[in-house]
Amino acid sequence: MGGMPMGGGAGAGSHAALGHAAAAGPNLLPEWLLLAGAVMFLLIAGAHLGHLAMTSGERRAWHVLHVLMAIGMALMYAPATVNPFVIDPGVWQLLLACAGAVAAVRWLAGAGGIAPGNLLWLLAAIDLGAMVYMWSPDTFMPALTWTLVAYLVLEGALWVASAYRLLDVGTPLIRWGGLASSADGAVLVVAGAETDSLVGGLDISVSMTAMATGMAYMLVAMQLMS
């Protein structure tokens, strides 16, 4: 992502591809912070890869999206001195936009009753949209930037409080529960309701809080340094 360094010594690999030239002001992205952020997001990617291996079905797709986001953020944070990947920002924008479209379509399918609904798909779509914005070579728009920052802070609080489980409740799916006898001896088919949860029994609050916080901070720094 390298090229033209940001002001105050911030890693060129973190911003040059985004086309934001630094103005005079405090350096909010010193190299040590960039390196720490890159390591944090690689750990987040590893956590989601581990969850991916333990799950199946749509849960895997949801974790794949977050692996993609974590790797994208790791490269965004990585200082130019340790980042060997020089990838055109347009490639990342296209990849993230396609992933965001998939998440948005999946949420719309659930909202329309075509598939089991789950609001976590919508959160994933918004997160991916925020990343497309971060990789944009155009000048940041303060109103949009601060709106996304506020959203990410709220999302981080959601994960901290484990309130995401209130959203991670899909449309009840009918599963056959077995057979039972009625009072008059007739055999009845018993159905049980089950929800299509994306997270299931996993505790992902730490990794998701870190992801939301890291994304929010990058947006703040890029806005103030542009």
Side-chain angles (χ1 to χ4, degrees), residues 192-220:
E194 186 177 296
T195 58
D196 190 32
S197 166
L198 286 177
V199 176
L202 294 173
D203 183 1
I204 61 171
S205 56
V206 173
S207 63
M208 293 302 293
T209 299
M211 178 175 283
T213 302
M215 289 175 66
Y217 185 84
M218 178 60 77
L219 279 169
V220 170

Side-chain angles (χ1 to χ4, degrees), residues 88 92 102:
D88 188 280
W92 269 106
V102 169

Side-chain angles (χ1 to χ4, degrees), residues 6-22:
M6 297 289 291
S14 306
H15 308 96
L18 303 174
H20 296 292

Side-chain angles (χ1 to χ4, degrees), residues 31 41 63 74 80 96 106 151 165 193 224:
E31 188 157 338
F41 276 104
H63 285 297
L96 294 165
R106 177 59 188 83
Y151 160 78
R165 294 197 180 278
L224 295 180

Side-chain angles (χ1 to χ4, degrees), residues 86-102:
V86 181
I87 304 174
D88 188 280
V91 173
W92 269 106
Q93 279 191 294
L94 179 61
L95 182 60
L96 294 165
C98 290
V102 169

